[in-house]
Amino acid sequence: MSAYYVTTPIYYANGLPHIGSTYTTTLADFLVRYYSMLGKDTFFLTGTDEHGDKVQQAAEKLGKSPKEFTDEVSSKFESAWKELGLNPSRFIRTTDEDHKENVRNILQKIYDQGDIYFGEYGGHYCTGCERFLTEKELDDGKCPDHQTTPEWVSEKNYFFKMSKYQDQLLDHIKANPDFIRPERYKNEVLGLLREPLEDLCISRPTSRLSWGIPLPFDENYVTYVWFDALVNYLTGIGYPGQDKAKERWENSEHLIGKDIVKPHGVFWPTMLLAAGVPLYKHLTVHGYWNTPSGKMSKSLGNAVDPLEVKKQVGMDVFRYFVMREMTFGLDGNYSGEALETRYNADLANNLGNLVSRTLSMVHKYRDGKIPVPKSLNEESKKLKTNALSCFEEMGQFVESREFHKAAGRIWELVDLVNVYIDRSKPWSLAKNEENADQLDETLYCQLECIRIAAGCLLPFMPDTAPKILSFLGIDSKIEPNFFETFELLKEGSEVEKGEALFPRLEVNKEEKTEKKIAAKPKGGKVTEDKAGLIAFGDFQKIELTVGQIMEAAKIEDADKLLKLKVDIGTEDQRQIVAGIAKHYQAEELVGRKVAVVSNLKPAKLRGELSEGMLLAASDDAGNLELVYPGDLIKVGGKIS
Ligand code: MSP
């Protein structure tokens, strides 16, 4: 069984998880689930970076010792990941004993071979980055990432001969085109290597910074933060040391944000070359999540708390959103509105509706039993072929680390099944016993595609996908070579009616901010929201009239809309555009009585005039039914 080892940055123990760190950790969790399905022996490392000025200063501010402070922060990180369903194989802390020992051993080795020397250096030190910035990196004298003026620090310190390994690193990058990816970040590192590298300051005198790992060859100094932190990737799997660790290391991938490309793309590989340890396999870099108004940061007060997001929409929705929304490698915008749009479009309307309407049709037309198709026609075969290649094609996108396209591939299938249903019209087939075979075939194909789509969804949505599969009576434990052992539909056995997977989201329009997303309560109940209550007088303003649909037609390129001509007892018939095409065929509506909101200002929808609205009832399972009066009241009668 081959190995797969993925790491996230270890996060500074001076804050709490935010969307950025949660995104990286989610990607790692996704990859581990995905490679487990392929049968790889996976290992996932994350943790906290606890030494250095930044953490020491944060502890001092609270009047705590650094140890006391980092114990608290670190355990909050660990429990947040658990709460968010992100399950590292090890949660490492740079204060762990085995890590301190590993750092000291590596330092000693590099020192003994003469690659660490004592010298004096003055430079622009940015506490935010925890490193010296070169003149070239400064933007108008400031750190471009933190917008602060670095401190001029000049002192005697230990230096690592990074420059000695520059050419070797350059050769490695050239010989291994996917060592750093996406391409743009490889180019960034190549750009850094075009200039002669300066040697790396790796220590701080204990007189200035005591919170660190003492150098094994000089107790008056502690290691500089990066030389300590980066080594966690080796300590985490016990490398150098065990055999298993070697195999993991050969298949390692560091996931990072674009802010820390230099330490990972330059410092770390040169340190490894000096330590005589093979280089990691991949450095995979993602962009930043920003808010629509710019950078996301705690100090700007626009940081999003992942635990809050989980409470509001659930972790699966978050996972899907961040992987689908961000073009991997570029920056992305995180906003409540964008999340709501994806939720309603991709999850509630597409996937959720597909599952709920399929299950309800199987119950309505086949007593809930999975039908056995006699044969498959061309269209059904085409659909099944698409479904059968879904996992593999999605996998190709995962391999190229285009997570947004990988998720998109599953939705290609979901969309196709929805179109297939609309074309096959099971509700019409069900009207005539002669079409029984065709109805069996259609319903079977719907279920089969849902089964495969849910299998592909497992690493993206680890709570929802098993739920969908359980509706079909399928066990969804992730086993090695998943699709070879993936349970098939048990023909003749019963499917569940299921529950609404994605109740529609409603954002409080007046207070639409990144944080204010409220999920509608299940069962369609109305919340006790005083702002949402209307006065009796307001209700009286609405005029409701009994109408009858005289004509109905689809509108081109608008798959949800129907254009209706409705008689409401006036001289002219009203034209009403209604969003009910997913629920009713045009033909079945003609002659039907309806309740019409008849005093609505006319509006244009898709270029078509709409002079009113129809009343309809809906539920969380995605069902919708027109509300209409009985026989007694004639067309034109008023509803009050
Ligand atoms: N401690 C160092 C890393 C040492 S690794 C050997 C560090 N920690 S950090 O807490 O600042 O975390 C940085 C990482 O958090 C980024 O690389 C990225 O993974 C994540 N993000 C922080 N803010 C982010 C966004 N706004 N968007 C996306 N990810 C970002 O640097």
Side-chain angles (χ1 to χ4, degrees):
M1 197 187 275
S2 65
Y4 172 69
Y5 171 41
V6 66
T7 68
T8 74
I10 43 171
Y11 304 109
Y12 284 126
N14 65 345
L16 289 174
H18 47 66
I19 291 298
S21 45
T22 309
Y23 174 62
T24 322
T25 314
T26 299
L27 291 180
D29 183 88
F30 166 85
L31 286 166
V32 160
R33 289 177 199 262
Y34 171 75
Y35 284 116
S36 303
M37 286 172 85
L38 293 189
K40 299 215 179 202
D41 172 30
T42 60
F43 197 92
F44 163 16
L45 184 74
T46 190
T48 41
D49 187 356
E50 305 190 9
H51 295 123
D53 297 294
K54 216 190 293 258
V55 174
Q56 184 166 307
Q57 283 166 13
E60 270 165 18
K61 251 195 211 154
L62 295 173
K64 294 187 177 168
S65 73
K67 180 76 176 97
E68 199 184 349
F69 176 68
T70 52
D71 279 352
E72 280 171 21
V73 178
S74 174
S75 79
K76 281 191 188 146
F77 263 96
E78 202 173 354
S79 58
W81 298 145
K82 223 176 255 161
E83 168 93 28
L84 297 173
L86 306 169
N87 302 310
S89 316
R90 174 172 174 183
F91 183 91
I92 193 169
R93 302 180 56 184
T94 48
T95 47
D96 287 343
E97 284 310 318
D98 61 340
H99 176 68
K100 292 196 262 185
E101 196 189 322
N102 205 21
V103 170
R104 286 162 65 88
N105 287 342
I106 290 176
L107 278 167
Q108 187 70 55
K109 178 171 190 295
I110 298 178
Y111 181 74
D112 289 346
Q113 73 199 27
D115 284 342
I116 289 175
Y117 62 91
F118 196 56
E120 184 148 17
Y121 178 81
H124 305 279
Y125 190 76
C126 171
T127 314
C129 299
E130 294 279 23
R131 64 180 180 87
F132 287 100
L133 302 184
T134 61
E135 292 284 347
K136 240 183 148 179
E137 282 175 298
L138 296 180
D139 181 8
D140 213 12
K142 288 188 173 161
C143 163
D145 280 346
H146 298 94
Q147 285 305 311
T148 48
T149 309
E151 187 190 350
W152 180 263
V153 174
S154 171
E155 63 194 7
K156 288 204 154 191
N157 263 310
Y158 285 89
F159 290 84
F160 163 52
K161 286 187 190 164
M162 195 154 71
S163 48
K164 182 172 158 190
Y165 297 96
Q166 177 159 0
D167 290 343
Q168 235 175 302
L169 174 57
L170 199 58
D171 292 345
H172 185 83
I173 296 176
K174 286 185 180 155
N176 297 276
D178 59 356
F179 178 59
I180 300 171
R181 58 192 180 181
E183 187 88 4
R184 53 172 39 220
Y185 298 106
K186 178 176 90 175
N187 292 338
E188 183 180 328
V189 172
L190 287 174
L192 293 169
L193 294 175
R194 231 169 271 136
E195 310 279 321
L197 285 180
E198 288 177 13
D199 288 343
L200 183 67
C201 175
I202 62 155
S203 67
R204 287 282 165 279
T206 43
S207 55
R208 210 164 66 73
L209 175 75
S210 54
W211 183 235
I213 303 174
L215 297 183
F217 40 83
D218 189 342
E219 293 289 316
N220 294 317
Y221 283 82
V222 292
T223 49
Y224 159 81
V225 59
W226 285 103
F227 214 100
D228 162 6
L230 290 159
V231 173
N232 94 85
Y233 298 135
L234 294 177
T235 315
I237 47 168
Y239 188 90
Q242 309 146 12
D243 275 0
K244 186 81 225 162
K246 186 170 175 291
E247 202 200 330
R248 288 196 170 128
W249 186 244
E250 283 164 2
N251 293 287
S252 55
E253 171 170 23
H254 298 318
L255 292 180
I256 60 163
K258 66 177 188 180
D259 52 330
I260 47 179
V261 166
K262 188 172 183 182
H264 284 81
V266 179
F267 302 174
W268 183 220
T270 51
M271 283 164 63
L272 288 167
L273 288 169
V277 175
L279 300 189
Y280 55 78
K281 191 162 181 200
H282 297 294
L283 178 65
T284 306
V285 187
H286 64 74
Y288 251 47
W289 282 105
N290 298 318
T291 69
S293 50
K295 215 175 158 168
M296 194 184 288
S297 93
K298 232 188 328 183
S299 51
L300 294 174
N302 59 5
V304 182
D305 174 2
L307 292 169
E308 203 46 45
V309 176
K310 183 199 161 184
K311 240 193 262 161
Q312 292 181 338
V313 292
M315 196 51 188
D316 271 16
V317 173
F318 172 82
R319 289 172 74 105
Y320 171 71
F321 174 74
V322 289
M323 283 193 264
R324 181 80 176 88
E325 185 76 8
M326 186 182 251
T327 301
F328 192 79
L330 304 180
D331 287 355
N333 264 334
Y334 191 98
S335 73
E337 250 177 302
L339 180 68
E340 184 201 1
T341 305
R342 280 234 173 261
Y343 181 99
N344 285 334
D346 299 2
L347 300 178
N349 288 355
N350 256 357
L351 178 64
N353 194 31
L354 169 65
V355 174
S356 77
R357 68 176 173 152
T358 298
L359 295 177
S360 84
M361 284 185 221
V362 175
H363 274 272
K364 198 162 162 195
Y365 308 134
R366 289 293 178 263
D367 283 337
K369 303 250 170 31
I370 298 175
V372 187
K374 288 223 169 68
S375 61
L376 296 187
N377 65 24
E378 278 316 302
E379 197 176 355
S380 302
K381 276 191 205 149
K382 226 164 106 190
L383 182 66
K384 203 169 167 190
T385 309
N386 183 289
L388 290 175
S389 60
C390 188
F391 188 69
E392 202 188 317
E393 288 178 17
M394 161 193 135
Q396 285 162 7
F397 290 126
V398 176
E399 286 309 327
S400 56
R401 300 299 182 256
E402 295 175 284
F403 301 105
H404 55 296
K405 290 190 183 166
R409 177 60 183 88
I410 305 175
W411 262 259
E412 177 192 314
L413 173 60
V414 170
D415 285 343
L416 280 179
V417 193
N418 274 325
V419 170
Y420 172 82
I421 297 174
D422 292 343
R423 273 215 214 123
S424 316
K425 300 190 184 62
W427 49 89
S428 302
L429 296 174
K431 284 186 191 144
N432 192 339
E433 204 27 53
E434 277 177 17
N435 298 324
D437 287 352
Q438 216 184 321
L439 181 59
D440 281 346
E441 174 185 336
T442 306
L443 294 176
Y444 168 82
C445 282
Q446 292 174 229
L447 291 168
E448 176 63 349
C449 290
I450 292 175
R451 178 186 78 93
I452 294 173
C456 296
L457 258 186
L458 277 165
F460 285 97
M461 304 187 100
D463 293 330
T464 308
K467 214 188 265 176
I468 298 175
L469 291 167
S470 76
F471 294 160
L472 307 182
I474 289 178
D475 179 27
S476 55
K477 239 191 12 255
I478 291 188
E479 303 275 8
N481 306 322
F482 180 78
F483 272 87
E484 279 160 38
T485 52
F486 190 23
E487 263 186 56
L488 299 172
L489 289 175
K490 292 181 266 307
E491 291 162 357
S493 77
E494 199 158 324
V495 297
E496 285 179 25
K497 286 201 168 131
E499 60 183 86
L501 294 169
F502 306 105
R504 281 188 80 82
L505 273 186
E506 272 166 11
V507 174
N508 181 341
K509 302 279 182 215
E510 274 155 37
E511 293 178 86
K512 213 171 201 180
T513 68
E514 282 74 37
K515 282 184 161 186
K516 298 254 165 48
I517 305 159
K520 189 176 160 189
K522 287 202 173 150
K525 277 180 253 135
V526 179
T527 36
E528 262 186 58
D529 174 0
K530 291 227 167 67
L533 297 178
I534 58 166
F536 178 64
D538 289 341
F539 176 68
Q540 272 191 316
K541 288 183 199 156
I542 301 170
E543 184 191 77
L544 297 170
T545 307
V546 176
Q548 185 168 28
I549 299 176
M550 308 309 286
E551 287 174 37
K554 291 203 87 166
I555 296 180
E556 241 182 49
D557 294 335
D559 56 355
K560 289 192 197 137
L561 301 179
L562 289 181
K563 185 166 71 173
L564 312 168
K565 285 272 161 53
V566 185
D567 179 4
I568 58 163
T570 50
E571 203 176 322
D572 293 326
Q573 288 177 5
R574 291 280 181 94
Q575 172 162 297
I576 295 178
V577 176
I580 54 173
K582 291 235 148 127
H583 306 273
Y584 290 96
Q585 295 302 299
E587 314 77 85
E588 60 179 307
L589 286 173
V590 177
R592 192 149 186 171
K593 277 169 105 181
V594 282
V596 179
V597 182
S598 48
N599 62 339
L600 209 60
K601 269 195 196 142
K604 276 208 163 166
L605 294 172
R606 295 286 177 116
E608 294 286 352
L609 183 69
S610 184
E611 306 165 295
M613 281 168 90
L614 303 188
L615 288 196
S618 60
D619 66 12
D620 287 336
N623 298 309
L624 181 140
E625 217 166 22
L626 286 171
V627 174
Y628 57 97
D631 289 326
L632 185 62
I633 309 298
K634 300 285 171 249
V635 165
K638 294 294 167 218
I639 304 169
S640 54

